[in-house]
Amino acid sequence: NAGVMQNPRHLVRRRGQEARLRCSPMKGHSHVYWYRQLPEEGLKFMVYLQKENIIDESGMPKERFSAEFPKEGPSILRIQQVVRGDSAAYFCASSPPTVYEQFFGPGTRLTVL
Amino acid sequence: AQSVTQLGSHVSVSEGALVLLRCNYSSSVPPYLFWYVQYPNQGLQLLLKYTSAATLVKGINGFEAEFKKSETSFHLTKPSAHMSDAAEYFCAFGGSQGNLIFGKGTKLSVKP
């Protein structure tokens, strides 16, 4: 059973470009969470999704950030018009229904030039 | 509000010495608590979790943690440190919507 997969592992963007981060949950997992880790800080919750539904986006910046988890395919975290402050590691985690345990992917390290 | 505090951003121990990483939480409801380990440039790996069963929880790699409600603590320990334990450790609290609330992390260094 493959673990949580994220791609790309490293992403470089110039200011103003768009960044798309992908997350494929573990097989059988229908819940996906996105977290952001800034240097020297812990992970901060961004958004919680189930298939075709956003359950909790209380940690998402109000502008430029969006997330989806379509019926088919991976979950996508999209950052429009990136700024230098968006440089961080973005982690995806998945869990099965009714289980209070999250499995993390290796992360995508975004660098904004 | 629910929160997690990890005391000490850096801890250094000698190989073979006791490891003690501190975590305190703040919550008005019974918590789910977790310890994760992160090696450089990698994702997080679950060490152990507390979900209201036994208060002493054993995890992987010889780690264990004790839930103390009276002290609102969930400290992580290992009797004898190994060089391979050098990593960053995160305590996390299970939020009401299923998300995890993380502490800022403690970097563990192990000296030979």
Side-chain angles (χ1 to χ4, degrees):
Chain A
N1 188 7
V4 177
M5 301 180 69
Q6 290 188 248
N7 67 80
R9 294 290 308 274
H10 300 273
L11 182 61
V12 179
R13 286 287 178 265
R14 297 190 180 280
R15 281 178 295 169
Q17 292 184 318
E18 179 179 287
R20 281 185 180 237
L21 288 62
R22 294 175 182 76
C23 169
S24 296
M26 289 179 69
K27 188 176 181 180
H29 289 193
S30 56
H31 298 202
V32 167
Y33 305 81
W34 285 93
Y35 296 86
R36 178 166 62 176
Q37 183 178 33
L38 294 170
E40 306 300 321
E41 292 193 19
L43 279 73
K44 300 290 188 186
F45 167 73
M46 299 181 74
V47 62
Y48 164 31
L49 308 106
Q50 295 178 19
K51 288 280 188 181
E52 300 183 283
N53 280 307
I54 296 175
I55 307 302
D56 180 4
E57 56 181 348
S58 59
M60 286 274 273
K62 293 291 185 283
E63 298 178 350
R64 304 187 296 109
F65 285 73
S66 62
E68 63 177 6
F69 189 15
K71 187 176 180 180
E72 301 290 338
S75 174
I76 295 175
L77 179 67
R78 182 182 179 207
I79 311 172
Q80 295 178 286
Q81 299 175 338
V82 296
V83 301
R84 289 221 174 104
D86 297 332
S87 295
Y90 292 82
F91 290 95
C92 167
S94 72
S95 72
T98 71
V99 173
Y100 220 120
E101 181 176 334
Q102 295 179 21
F103 297 81
F104 281 79
T108 294
R109 280 153 183 83
L110 172 65
T111 301
V112 179
L113 302 178
Chain B
Q2 298 164 338
S3 64
V4 175
T5 302
Q6 290 185 241
L7 296 176
S9 57
H10 290 84
V11 170
S12 181
V13 301
S14 297
E15 193 173 19
L18 171 72
V19 176
L20 171 61
L21 304 181
R22 300 178 187 273
C23 172
N24 289 86
Y25 68 92
S26 173
S27 173
S28 59
V29 298
Y32 291 99
L33 293 162
F34 306 82
W35 275 99
Y36 284 85
V37 60
Q38 185 181 32
Y39 297 98
N41 297 317
Q42 294 188 27
L44 277 71
Q45 180 182 6
L46 181 67
L47 278 178
L48 48 81
K49 62 181 178 182
Y50 168 76
T51 56
S52 76
T55 56
L56 182 61
V57 181
K58 293 188 183 298
I60 62 171
N61 301 339
F63 284 94
E64 61 182 37
E66 185 173 7
F67 172 69
K68 291 187 177 180
K69 184 177 179 181
S70 60
E71 298 177 8
T72 61
S73 68
F74 191 55
H75 301 331
L76 181 71
T77 61
K78 182 174 180 177
S80 178
H82 192 272
M83 297 295 290
S84 61
D85 294 327
E88 190 159 18
Y89 293 80
F90 292 95
C91 182
F93 178 103
S96 56
Q97 287 280 22
N99 58 296
L100 293 175
I101 300 166
F102 284 89
K104 291 193 172 183
T106 298
K107 288 184 179 175
L108 176 66
S109 301
V110 182
K111 298 175 290 186

